[in-house]
Amino acid sequence: MQEYILRAAYERATAVEVKVLEPFRASMARSADAFEAEPGACDPSPEQRAAEQQAWAGFGPRERGRAA
């Protein structure tokens, strides 16, 4: 009887695990596909980088604060 109860508990736990992990794995696959679709979409061009550096330089020297 004890073996039956333990087996049933194990099967239920693994069923819950599978039910939770399958959508998670599918979500990870979709995310990976999205990142692989356009790898250069997030990387700014050299012109954009130069414009950003020039904009930051317009603010003057940055002060470094102390961490709490």
Side-chain angles (χ1 to χ4, degrees), residues 24-67:
F24 177 71
R25 287 185 182 121
S27 174
M28 285 179 47
R30 283 192 306 272
S31 297
D33 292 343
F35 282 109
E36 291 174 0
E38 296 182 33
C42 296
D43 194 24
S45 68
E47 294 83 18
Q48 288 173 323
R49 288 184 184 183
E52 182 179 340
Q53 288 174 350
Q54 187 177 12
W56 277 110
F59 287 116
R62 290 187 245 170
E63 294 183 21
R64 300 203 186 246
R66 285 195 278 162

Side-chain angles (χ1 to χ4, degrees), residues 16-29:
V16 169
E17 179 183 5
V18 169
K19 190 170 187 171
V20 170
L21 288 179
E22 286 303 318
F24 177 71
R25 287 185 182 121
S27 174
M28 285 179 47

